[in-house]
Amino acid sequence: MAPSNPLIYAIILAAGSSKRFPGTNKLLAPVHGVPIIQRVTTAICEANTKTTLVITGKDHALTKPLLASQNLQCIQNRDYSQGMGTSLTKGIDSIPEDNWDGILICLGDLPNLTTKLVNTLIQTFQAENANSIIIPIHQGRRGHPIIFPYRYRNQLSQLTGDKGARDILKKERNAITELEVDTPAIFQDIDRPEDLSKLNA
């Protein structure tokens, strides 16, 4: 039976070094006056998630105050330079033991992500009896957030390097439900200053 209100623990990965965005951390750059990371955390926190955790990197001291008014936790991954896998494992290891149904993982640089889209993913997760990995897809391309059933906690906690959860998704392809969405917001990220300029135009 599907949980009536699945307990979702959300992890936002915000520890990247922004190597292609010179001079500043791209997540702190504003889109229409609001920092990118704050746009993402708002979309997640206002969705039907139970707890939200943000994993920061070298700019923890700058990022945490931006999020102080939101209902979330913010911790630093001091090993951020070793890749996304270290941020994922730190986030997973921070999940308190509880009766969680799912773990939502989201990148921190998706400025057009909406609460409505996040809730649609959660509703699909519920409809799949909290047993499937839910991945949004647009025009054949996968994006984020991704929701994993809680049973994948141990596998997620063992990730290393910069590949994220790709190996798990490859191995568990039969457990994946792809949800077609009508927006590129699931992968429309910011890598370079010109990307930011286009969004602010």
Side-chain angles (χ1 to χ4, degrees):
M1 179 180 295
S4 56
N5 292 294
L7 292 179
I8 304 293
Y9 194 97
I11 298 173
I12 300 174
L13 304 176
S17 299
S18 301
K19 295 178 180 178
R20 290 178 287 180
F21 203 96
T24 186
N25 185 329
K26 65 180 180 181
L27 299 185
L28 306 180
V31 172
H32 299 301
V34 180
I36 292 171
I37 183 59
Q38 195 175 56
R39 293 172 68 93
V40 175
T41 55
T42 297
I44 299 293
C45 287
E46 292 184 357
N48 295 325
T49 52
K50 175 69 173 178
T51 300
T52 299
L53 175 68
V54 179
I55 309 295
T56 64
K58 66 182 180 68
D59 290 318
H60 177 76
L62 296 174
T63 306
K64 188 174 181 179
L66 289 176
L67 310 177
S69 64
Q70 294 184 304
N71 183 24
L72 54 76
Q73 302 171 45
C74 187
I75 62 175
Q76 184 179 29
N77 172 23
R78 297 185 184 278
D79 297 321
Y80 66 90
S81 62
Q82 297 179 28
M84 184 189 300
T86 62
S87 292
L88 263 174
T89 55
K90 188 169 186 65
I92 297 299
D93 290 344
S94 299
I95 300 176
E97 291 296 335
D98 207 337
N99 296 320
W100 300 101
D101 295 303
I103 302 169
L104 181 149
I105 297 172
C106 187
L107 303 182
D109 62 347
L110 300 174
N112 291 326
L113 187 68
T114 66
T115 295
K116 180 180 179 180
L117 193 155
V118 177
N119 278 338
T120 299
L121 291 169
I122 293 173
Q123 290 163 7
T124 303
F125 181 69
Q126 178 182 357
E128 293 288 329
N129 297 314
N131 283 324
S132 295
I133 300 171
I134 309 300
I135 305 179
I137 186 171
H138 178 69
Q139 296 182 352
R141 181 178 172 184
R142 288 177 172 179
H144 280 80
I146 297 174
I147 304 179
F148 288 86
Y150 189 68
R151 67 177 182 273
Y152 288 99
R153 174 176 178 156
N154 290 340
Q155 292 185 54
L156 290 167
S157 71
Q158 296 169 19
L159 295 173
T160 58
D162 204 30
K163 295 190 296 183
R166 278 180 286 178
D167 287 346
I168 295 176
L169 297 178
K170 183 177 180 180
K171 184 175 68 173
E172 299 293 331
R173 61 173 65 91
N174 292 331
I176 292 173
T177 294
E178 292 183 336
L179 176 65
E180 182 71 37
V181 298
D182 61 0
T183 173
I186 59 171
F187 48 69
Q188 198 171 40
D189 60 359
I190 301 293
D191 284 328
R192 299 175 176 84
E194 50 265 37
D195 299 329
L196 182 64
S197 298
K198 292 177 182 177
L199 280 180
N200 280 317

